[in-house]
Amino acid sequence: MEEVICPVFVLTCKRTLISMKNILTQVEVKRMMVSCDGTFKFDCGGGVLITLGVVIVIVSKNGSVRRLYNWLYVFTQTENRYAASKGAEWLVKIPALFFGMEDFKWPVHCIDHAWCFHNSLTQNAGARTVTCVVHVKESVKRKKLEGHRVAVLKDVQMNHECAITDEMISMMTELLVKDWDNRGLKKFAETFKREYGRTPFNRYYHCASLIPGAKPNQNPTEGTNNALKVLVRDLYQTMAGFLSSSMVQISNQCPGVSENDVSTRCNAAMWHTPYRSNVIRNALHCFVIVLTSSLKTRSDVAVGDTKKSAFPDANR
């Protein structure tokens, strides 16, 4: 096991666990896509909060919409494999450990270009990794393209829209790389091929997840992360302050967020309106459960009410 010199906390709450149980009971696992992403600015030490949630496509007579349910949070100092592995480990075993159900074996997960997330989530054997197409485009925008930026972005969008298999997008990427090389973008072409020219990170095409309607992007997760920063307000706190105060607000918010109402919820938070006014006041929902806390290889469990007391010590 690799040595970790920064703290790792895996967090959830009672309300979220009940939501997880209900969803796993009512929805087929084969229709779920796990979304994993990290967000910063919550503590003054440069820590990162990694969110692990599931995206489900809700179909109605008016069409379909993706809904995100955040189930676990991992707080650590950097996006590293050890921290992500702890989160994935708990995501797999929570249904069996808390509810006597089968382990959660999701079929596909969506991430950005992060090997630590890929290597951690694939401990769920057989799960398919897909890459967020928005992150691919943002990566392209940061490159020096000497006036070819618009054309290159159109090429990437063509890959996203037209490819339907891994083999097809590999073939299309090879042709694009040759074309970019001929335009004088040799360095960029080599970099793109190295980063997005092979599996799993070339799976940013529209139907890469193999789940109808589950697009390869993390828009619901990114929108939720932005909304939580507005909700918490007190950014760049000490780690103790973040865990004992802000984490209560984060873990107890509405666990189901639609891609259509993320911006609305964010605006509501800006006007001092919580997502659901009864959540924080209800003592039953004010538990933050620390599933794992670790500095190196120590693994502890703690449960405490962070509204009535300081952050609880782990039961060792």
Side-chain angles (χ1 to χ4, degrees), residues 242-308:
F242 166 73
L243 292 173
S244 63
S245 176
S246 298
M247 198 61 219
V248 176
Q249 296 174 284
I250 291 173
S251 63
N252 284 288
Q253 290 315 301
C254 180
V257 180
S258 166
E259 62 181 325
N260 287 347
D261 61 10
V262 164
S263 59
T264 303
R265 293 176 182 277
C266 186
N267 291 334
M270 293 177 66
W271 289 101
H272 305 274
T273 305
Y275 293 1
R276 287 187 179 180
S277 58
N278 66 320
V279 171
I280 301 301
R281 290 201 302 265
N282 189 336
L284 180 66
H285 294 154
C286 291
F287 284 85
V288 175
I289 303 177
V290 186
L291 299 173
T292 297
S293 62
S294 176
L295 284 176
K296 289 190 178 180
T297 59
R298 189 184 68 195
S299 182
D300 307 322
V301 176
V303 179
D305 187 343
T306 57
K307 283 186 72 67
K308 295 182 179 180

Side-chain angles (χ1 to χ4, degrees), residues 165-199:
T165 65
D166 290 352
E167 293 76 14
M168 186 173 181
I169 198 168
S170 295
M171 179 187 68
M172 293 172 66
T173 300
E174 285 289 342
L175 294 174
L176 287 177
V177 165
K178 290 180 180 179
D179 181 55
W180 294 335
D181 195 1
N182 293 335
R183 296 187 201 179
L185 301 175
K186 182 176 181 179
K187 185 176 181 180
F188 167 75
E190 292 175 349
T191 301
F192 189 90
K193 183 178 180 179
R194 182 174 64 252
E195 294 181 351
Y196 300 108
R198 58 191 177 96
T199 56

Side-chain angles (χ1 to χ4, degrees), residues 106-120:
W106 61 90
V108 61
H109 43 257
C110 183
I111 61 175
D112 56 14
H113 191 277
W115 280 106
C116 61
F117 291 162
H118 169 69
N119 293 334
S120 303

Side-chain angles (χ1 to χ4, degrees), residues 16-25 71 91 94-95 104:
T16 301
L17 292 178
I18 293 174
S19 168
M20 185 180 191
K21 177 187 176 183
N22 292 338
I23 292 170
L24 289 174
T25 302
W71 283 348
L91 191 62
I94 276 178
F104 178 40

Side-chain angles (χ1 to χ4, degrees), residues 220-251:
T221 301
E222 294 287 353
T224 303
N225 290 342
N226 293 335
L228 289 176
K229 289 188 178 74
V230 175
L231 175 78
V232 169
R233 298 181 179 281
D234 296 325
L235 302 178
Y236 301 108
Q237 298 184 80
T238 62
M239 185 173 72
F242 166 73
L243 292 173
S244 63
S245 176
S246 298
M247 198 61 219
V248 176
Q249 296 174 284
I250 291 173
S251 63

